[in-house]
Amino acid sequence: MSIVTVQLGQCGNQIGFEVFDALLSDSHSSQGLCSKRENEAYQASCKERFFSEEENGVPIARAVLVDMEPKVINQTLSKAAQSGQWKYGQHACFCQKQGSGNNWAYGYSVHGPRHEESIMSLIRKEVEKCDSFSGFFIIMSMAGGTGSGLGAFVTQNLQDQYPNSLKMNHIIWPYGTGEVIVQNYNSILTLSHLYRSSDALLVHENDAVHKICAKLMNIKQISFSDINQVLAHQLGSVFQPTYSAESSFHYRRNPLGDLMEHLVPHPEFKMLSVRNIPHMSENSLAYSTFTWAGLLKHLRQMLISNAKMEEGIDWHVRPPLSGLPPLGKMSLNKDLHFNTSVANLVILRGKDVQSADVEGFKDPALYTSWLKPVNAFNVWKTQRAFSKYEKSAVLVSNSQFLVKPLDTIVGKAWNMFASKAYIHQYTKFGIEEEDFLDSFTSLEQVVASYCNL
Amino acid sequence: MTQSVVVQVGQCGNQIGCCFWDLALREHAAVNQKGIYDEAISSFFRNVDTRVVGDGGSISKGKICSLKARAVLIDMEEGVVNEILQGPLRDVFDTKQLITDISGSGNNWAVGHKVFGSLYQDQILEKLRKSAEHCDCLQCFFIIHSMGGGTGSGLGTFLLKVLEDEFPEVYRFVTSIYPSGEDDVITSPYNSMLAMKELNEHADCVLPIDNQSLFDIISKIDLMVNSGKLGTTVKPNSLVTSSSGTLKKRHKKPFDAMNNIVANLLLNLTSSARFEGSLNMDLNEISMNLVPFPQLHYLVSSLTPLYTLTDVNIPPRRLDQMFSDAFSKDHQLLQADPKHSLYLACALMVRGNVQISDLRRNIERLKPSLQFVSWNQEGWKTSLCSVPPVGHSHSLLALANNTCVKPTFMELKERFMRLYKKKAHLHHYLQVEGVEKSCFTEAVSSLSALIQEYDQLDTTKNMPVQDLPRLSIAM
């Protein structure tokens, strides 16, 4: 089944390019560590999910590119074409002349309705090209105007027009110290709206990915390109074909459906994060070897202690011993200690993957009381290695990982809202103080729900 | 991509404008090697087939035929505009886009605003409409003028109201040259005060600049260039004050170097909108992020570096120095010290080979020494444009919405009151039809209210930041 990607705004388009590039590079990689037949099945599955075929054999990404000003889309299209390996569809983009000015209200209330028909029609064409359609993957940032505001509008529309299809929104959390001054306003408006209309929110934080570039990849002068490539690597290791646990004879057909089923058991809990291990520069990779036991031990501790990457993990954090009374309401004031999960999914790829032991993830102490581990935890194992890593593991988690960042953003937005700063820029386009209050209420609700796990 | 129209008013406005077009051509010539009319050039220039008579000559794509500036030149004296039209830039301007008169405004705001305003209102509207029609998607008007004279100050601000009524969706960015302490125009305090009221009410964003600061920057550069530090030479063409080939010979006019600084400001301001980069910043984002309340729209600017040494491999320390300089009071284009006042918001627009990690490192480094208002502790807006300015490998433009503009306004009010109390020269204004004492008193209250706002913000400066109680949810 195929996934249609919608890339929105500068961030969405820059990332989208890296994702398709990563998927295809991995697909063509010769270091799959598996049989030829296996590899071919992998490639075919990857192709079906993300690309359509053209006459001369160049794969075309199943994507719709949307931006309110032309510079980034032009760059993205030409970079893809230059790779020679794949490209975007000729008529797959929608562009305007003037951007959204970092204004969520402008993206949502002006650009949205104005361009609704054109954008939805482009999306429909892409969906019709799919023999069998799995759902939408929408890439956007929260801080700007187009990705955030127009992204929220488009997602809502998708919910109305494709009520039976799944939507996963990939959201970029901005750096804590500003990229955009009104980023906190834009973020809370985006999140509250998406919580109603999206099925799952897969989050990447710029601060976290930046640290991975600095500490694990040892990049000296980190550019957005570097950051996006790390991101794309993580997404690739989630979305590339995997075997179903039951049958090792064919790759899963419905990736989005399976992800949602395993990770979003309750509509109140939709926030997903990604952690992967190992991740390093190519130079270091040549000199490293791994065992599944080692990788999984680290990954489990990353989950429990809320670590964003494999360096600097706090090994003192332990899950509460089973049988003892629960720890009670999580306090936001203290350092986050133990990270309780709603659901977890571990995806393993590579050599000897069948021997990997994931029992550590089935400990009921890791999970909230209303879900048994057998329902809350899943593992997908695939022989075929990913992107030059002999063994790689990725954890997609629905847990308290994002509570602190969310709480921080809500707090900052609230402080700014109290002074009414910048509000006139939003009311100008129809987003009133009431809308802000609604957003605050929804998000406080989400924070409270997660805290009470 | 959007287009912008520059409206240059008065002697000062036109001289700066002239420098701007000169530098803009130089920049695009350096970037656009193939001579194709692309979207970047179209933001400030039209491509015209000069063989076609009348209006049908616009060419939207393909090779560059003849570039015409998207500009409207207004002056109530002919001298400056005539000089421009006889100079090397004469082909860049469309002769139909001029409005001139002979007598001048006599350094009298009232003459510029009321007399010439009503006289030329229709013509002005017509030229503006024409220039808007030539645009696919007009985003912004850049108005350049001085505050102390008569035409730039009076007619320039009259324009603002016209633009607001006729093109309400288009941004009005005003670059205003404020009079320095030793200004030789006696009535400049009156003119500036009356103009301020208009700026308060009808401008979206104002970039106040004063001659003294520009002069200090020139002196600093001269010192550097002439000191001949061992082993270093300044790259030609890299001075923020240097012009391109066309104006070189006539460079020795005193204001040229200063005007070039302002021209560079405008180029850098629009660079991220015209050229590509990993984190773009359009003009509408400037207003969105830097204007938290409609009245507080005055932005103090600083440009670095002022010159580049011919040091090919610039290590990170030099890069970091550029960031530090942007916050020093010596680099501000206004007599102001943002570091010791309160920031409401700050934008850093970087050009050239600078990446996000460099930007973040410097923000982290400089943050502790700067004071931000309690509700905007991380009030940074950043942009990265890949194309550096001519002669540099990277550059930084910092725009600060900061209470450090208060002293400038307070001084303005003081100088005004000194004249007004004695009623000196007042009759020149009152004898113009439509001008009464109330114009003056209203202008004073408008400025006083603005100063009051900055005052209130300043009182919050050293207070500890408290988190407000949040909404509590019943579970």
Side-chain angles (χ1 to χ4, degrees), chain A residues 119-269:
Chain A
I119 297 177
M120 295 312 286
S121 140
L122 270 185
I123 295 180
R124 192 169 311 121
K125 286 207 190 82
E126 202 57 49
V127 173
E128 281 165 12
K129 278 200 233 158
C130 303
D131 278 333
S132 159
F133 177 59
S134 168
F136 297 101
F137 187 60
I138 302 142
I139 313 180
M140 52 198 268
S141 73
M142 288 200 310
T146 298
S148 69
L150 184 60
F153 183 83
V154 168
T155 308
Q156 225 164 275
N157 262 38
L158 289 176
Q159 189 183 38
D160 293 334
Q161 293 192 20
Y162 299 87
N164 298 324
S165 299
L166 295 166
K167 291 168 303 298
M168 178 178 279
N169 287 66
H170 179 229
I171 308 182
I172 301 303
W173 214 268
Y175 284 101
T177 16
E179 296 167 27
V180 170
I181 293 178
V182 290
Q183 62 186 42
N184 298 316
Y185 280 166
N186 292 339
S187 300
I188 57 136
L189 288 165
T190 306
L191 285 171
S192 58
H193 279 253
L194 286 182
Y195 228 81
R196 288 196 289 266
S197 48
S198 176
D199 298 311
L201 308 179
L202 184 62
V203 174
H204 264 116
E205 298 166 80
N206 270 350
D207 278 305
V209 183
H210 190 106
K211 283 211 186 82
I212 293 178
C213 289
K215 300 263 166 62
L216 298 182
M217 311 284 285
N218 274 319
I219 304 175
K220 292 284 173 257
Q221 199 188 25
I222 302 170
S223 66
F224 271 119
S225 217
D226 298 317
I227 292 189
N228 293 343
Q229 279 167 10
V230 167
L231 247 160
H233 178 100
Q234 290 194 344
L235 289 177
S237 51
V238 173
F239 283 105
Q240 285 292 47
T242 50
Y243 281 134
S244 26
E246 307 77 33
S247 115
S248 316
F249 297 123
H250 57 82
Y251 287 109
R252 285 174 181 273
R253 303 235 49 231
N254 189 357
L256 278 183
D258 294 336
L259 276 168
M260 307 286 194
E261 190 193 318
H262 293 312
L263 290 168
V264 190
H266 188 295
E268 187 64 18
F269 300 94

Side-chain angles (χ1 to χ4, degrees), chain A residues 292-293 296 348 351-359 379 381:
Chain A
W292 283 117
L296 288 169
L348 304 175
K351 191 169 166 199
D352 299 329
V353 75
Q354 296 305 333
S355 68
D357 172 12
V358 291
E359 286 308 306
V379 59
K381 294 179 179 176

Side-chain angles (χ1 to χ4, degrees), chain B residues 267-312:
Chain B
L267 277 179
N268 286 343
L269 190 69
T270 54
S271 60
S272 188
R274 290 177 289 137
F275 301 119
E276 57 184 32
S278 63
L279 190 58
N280 295 333
M281 179 159 150
D282 212 342
L283 295 169
N284 48 9
E285 294 174 31
I286 296 181
S287 175
M288 176 69 188
N289 284 287
L290 293 173
V291 183
F293 299 100
Q295 329 82 282
L296 303 177
H297 56 245
Y298 294 86
L299 306 177
V300 180
S301 47
S302 69
L303 276 176
T304 52
L306 302 174
Y307 48 79
T308 312
L309 304 174
T310 50
D311 210 322
V312 179

Side-chain angles (χ1 to χ4, degrees), chain A residues 87-145:
Chain A
K87 58 183 186 170
Y88 283 103
Q90 235 178 347
H91 303 290
C93 39
F94 179 80
C95 201
Q96 285 296 283
K97 305 204 174 77
Q98 187 170 198
S100 306
N102 286 167
N103 192 330
W104 193 93
Y106 200 78
Y108 185 83
S109 309
V110 178
H111 281 308
R114 204 181 274 175
H115 308 299
E116 185 180 342
E117 247 189 73
S118 313
I119 297 177
M120 295 312 286
S121 140
L122 270 185
I123 295 180
R124 192 169 311 121
K125 286 207 190 82
E126 202 57 49
V127 173
E128 281 165 12
K129 278 200 233 158
C130 303
D131 278 333
S132 159
F133 177 59
S134 168
F136 297 101
F137 187 60
I138 302 142
I139 313 180
M140 52 198 268
S141 73
M142 288 200 310

Side-chain angles (χ1 to χ4, degrees), chain B residues 259-451:
Chain B
N259 292 341
N260 276 322
I261 298 179
V262 184
N264 271 306
L265 165 68
L266 287 173
L267 277 179
N268 286 343
L269 190 69
T270 54
S271 60
S272 188
R274 290 177 289 137
F275 301 119
E276 57 184 32
S278 63
L279 190 58
N280 295 333
M281 179 159 150
D282 212 342
L283 295 169
N284 48 9
E285 294 174 31
I286 296 181
S287 175
M288 176 69 188
N289 284 287
L290 293 173
V291 183
F293 299 100
Q295 329 82 282
L296 303 177
H297 56 245
Y298 294 86
L299 306 177
V300 180
S301 47
S302 69
L303 276 176
T304 52
L306 302 174
Y307 48 79
T308 312
L309 304 174
T310 50
D311 210 322
V312 179
N313 293 315
I314 305 185
R317 204 176 61 85
R318 280 271 154 73
L319 187 61
D320 288 8
Q321 185 60 42
M322 180 175 80
F323 281 90
S324 302
D325 283 341
F327 292 93
S328 103
K329 69 174 163 63
D330 296 333
H331 282 72
Q332 309 298 321
L333 301 188
L334 187 70
Q335 297 276 290
D337 189 4
K339 226 168 169 174
H340 295 108
S341 309
L342 187 65
Y343 273 92
L344 300 178
C346 184
L348 296 176
M349 304 180 69
V350 187
R351 297 181 68 170
N353 184 18
V354 181
Q355 302 300 342
I356 187 72
S357 56
D358 301 312
L359 197 50
R360 303 209 55 71
R361 179 180 68 243
N362 280 289
I363 290 182
E364 293 302 314
R365 186 173 64 88
L366 294 166
K367 222 170 39 141
S369 58
L370 303 171
Q371 296 191 59
F372 275 81
V373 72
S374 65
W375 41 260
N376 207 0
Q377 286 282 294
E378 282 110 21
W380 298 91
K381 164 70 182 161
T382 54
S383 81
L384 295 166
C385 173
S386 334
V387 177
V390 177
H392 294 258
S393 59
H394 45 250
S395 78
L396 170 65
L397 164 64
L399 293 174
N401 191 340
N402 187 311
T403 55
C404 65
V405 285
K406 199 178 67 170
T408 303
F409 296 152
M410 283 170 67
E411 233 189 88
L412 188 64
K413 186 175 169 192
E414 231 171 278
R415 271 190 250 134
F416 171 87
M417 293 311 283
R418 262 185 261 142
L419 275 185
Y420 191 61
K421 282 209 179 94
K422 305 216 191 90
K423 309 240 188 304
H425 303 278
L426 208 49
H427 58 286
H428 291 302
Y429 292 78
L430 296 176
Q431 71 194 20
V432 173
E433 190 184 320
V435 179
E436 287 153 20
K437 281 251 180 79
S438 59
C439 294
F440 286 85
T441 47
E442 276 167 20
V444 176
S445 8
S446 173
L447 183 59
S448 302
L450 184 65
I451 294 177

